[in-house]
Amino acid sequence: MLNFAIVGCGHVAKKHVQAINNSEGARLYALCDANANQLQQFGSTYDIKHLFTSFEKLLDQQEIDIISICTPSGTHRKLAIQAANAKKHIVLEKPMALTLTDADAILKACDENDVKLTVVHPNRFRPAVVALKQAIQENKFGTISYVNATLRWNRNQAYYDQASWRGTKEQDGGVLMNQAIHNLDLLLWLIGDVEQVQAYMDTRIRNIEAEDVATAILRFKDGMLGVIEATSTIYPKNLEESISIFGETGSAEIGGPTANWIKHWVFDHETEAETEKIMGKVENDPFGIPGHQMIIQDMIKAVEQDRAPIVTGEDGRNALALVLAIYHAAEQNSPYELQWKGEEKEDGND
């Protein structure tokens, strides 16, 4: 049995509580939040006895094996490094950090202390996304020419007004960093590294510091083109989240208000019966096991088997790097060349 602690008792922490409680081999042992009232309320709701307003005192608890960090994004570097130095494995909410300098510092601390790190990109585990990944691995698309990621969601002003850090560049970020980063992670996981970005972004409607709408054109390393469209200003509620892939021998789109359903699925060498089987399986269970639960269960296995988690810290860094590249391209109003970690130079640290 591995003991988990959660730091940051806000909205997303509820998903971690459910994921831990529903995962075999996991026990939610402790909670931590600097807001004593919020901590007590959260602890009472979920019947957790070990409550800490001090993160340092939480880290002193030898019983704790894994810490879920659910605090504002700008705090991730400090907390993750402290957790790593205390020899605690880490489940880190997205984005893993707001700069590549901070992301690299987290990766370095985890490596030096030999602790596991996973970043919460749960959409990879959706049944429709898994089917799409398998189709790519089986080369059903042939040569892929074009991909598209669309996020047309609503995060109203009340959402941003919940806390002073929301929508700020220093602690939070905008629609790309907070909502669309999952779609960017999927594009990188499904297609591969991006070579060049051109982009526009703006803050059109919400009273926030960061962007509420963004568009970008991507060129992937092996020549594919892609388009990203993301906004948090759709009235009055979430309209669409989709991933589309188009190739010489197939095309597919997964979508809906969240990308959980197969909207289009046609392949040259796939029989009608095979297509109906794939689409029917997704239709019957479009959500599958919740993504946060899959992240927690995989972390448990990673610790027990001493292997890397499915979603690694490097994966979290890559998604962040793409967001920052889009920011740079929009700010300089010209194409931006990406250099991935391990190459001659790295960009996007600011």
Side-chain angles (χ1 to χ4, degrees), residues 208-225:
I208 59 175
E209 186 180 21
E211 80 286 348
D212 63 15
V213 61
T215 58
I217 299 172
L218 314 178
R219 181 180 291 278
F220 291 83
K221 279 192 172 181
D222 55 3
M224 282 172 283
L225 299 181

Side-chain angles (χ1 to χ4, degrees), residues 18-235:
Q18 294 168 357
I20 293 165
N21 288 342
N22 290 328
S23 295
E24 184 177 349
R27 175 172 54 197
L28 181 52
Y29 180 83
L31 300 172
C32 179
D33 197 293
N35 185 320
N37 291 333
Q38 184 165 293
L39 176 65
Q40 290 293 335
Q41 182 177 359
F42 207 87
S44 176
T45 298
Y46 295 104
D47 194 27
I48 306 300
K49 306 301 182 186
H50 302 95
L51 306 178
F52 300 86
T53 55
S54 166
F55 188 55
E56 289 73 19
K57 289 183 179 179
L58 175 78
L59 294 179
D60 286 338
Q61 307 305 304
Q62 297 300 315
E63 296 85 354
I64 296 172
D65 303 294
I66 303 171
I67 294 181
S68 285
I69 298 178
C70 304
T71 57
S73 305
T75 67
H76 287 181
R77 172 180 175 154
K78 179 181 179 181
L79 297 176
I81 290 175
Q82 285 182 282
N85 289 339
K87 310 298 182 183
K88 310 298 185 185
H89 303 293
I90 301 166
V91 177
L92 185 57
E93 264 297 334
K94 59 75 192 170
M96 70 175 295
L98 295 178
T99 72
L100 293 186
T101 299
D102 285 357
D104 288 337
I106 293 170
L107 292 173
K108 183 173 183 287
C110 290
D111 182 61
E112 289 178 346
N113 289 284
D114 194 27
V115 299
K116 312 293 183 187
L117 168 67
T118 189
V119 179
V120 181
H121 284 295
N123 295 5
R124 294 188 186 192
F125 300 97
R126 292 173 175 175
V129 174
V130 172
L132 192 60
K133 177 71 169 179
Q134 185 173 349
I136 293 172
Q137 291 173 331
E138 294 175 358
N139 198 33
K140 288 185 177 182
F141 290 94
T143 299
I144 296 174
S145 63
Y146 169 71
V147 299
N148 175 277
T150 297
L151 187 82
R152 297 170 177 166
W153 276 6
N154 175 279
R155 294 293 182 269
N156 61 23
Q157 192 61 45
Y159 166 85
Y160 293 105
D161 291 343
Q162 291 177 73
S164 60
W165 56 268
R166 287 192 180 273
T168 64
K169 292 182 178 180
E170 184 178 353
Q171 291 293 318
D172 191 32
V175 66
L176 285 172
M177 192 69 81
N178 262 318
Q179 286 81 39
I181 195 169
H182 288 307
N183 307 85
L184 304 189
D185 171 70
L186 289 184
L187 285 183
L188 294 172
W189 182 58
L190 292 167
I191 305 300
D193 291 346
V194 173
E195 182 176 72
Q196 187 183 80
V197 175
Q198 300 186 62
Y200 290 98
M201 65 181 185
D202 209 338
T203 309
R204 294 287 297 169
I205 297 177
R206 304 297 176 233
N207 182 25
I208 59 175
E209 186 180 21
E211 80 286 348
D212 63 15
V213 61
T215 58
I217 299 172
L218 314 178
R219 181 180 291 278
F220 291 83
K221 279 192 172 181
D222 55 3
M224 282 172 283
L225 299 181
V227 171
I228 294 169
E229 173 195 337
T231 184
S232 58
T233 63
I234 299 301
Y235 179 83

Side-chain angles (χ1 to χ4, degrees), residues 241-261:
E241 178 190 16
S242 64
I243 298 285
S244 304
I245 300 177
F246 304 99
E248 63 176 337
T249 56
S251 59
E253 176 186 356
I254 58 174
T258 56
N260 287 92
W261 289 268

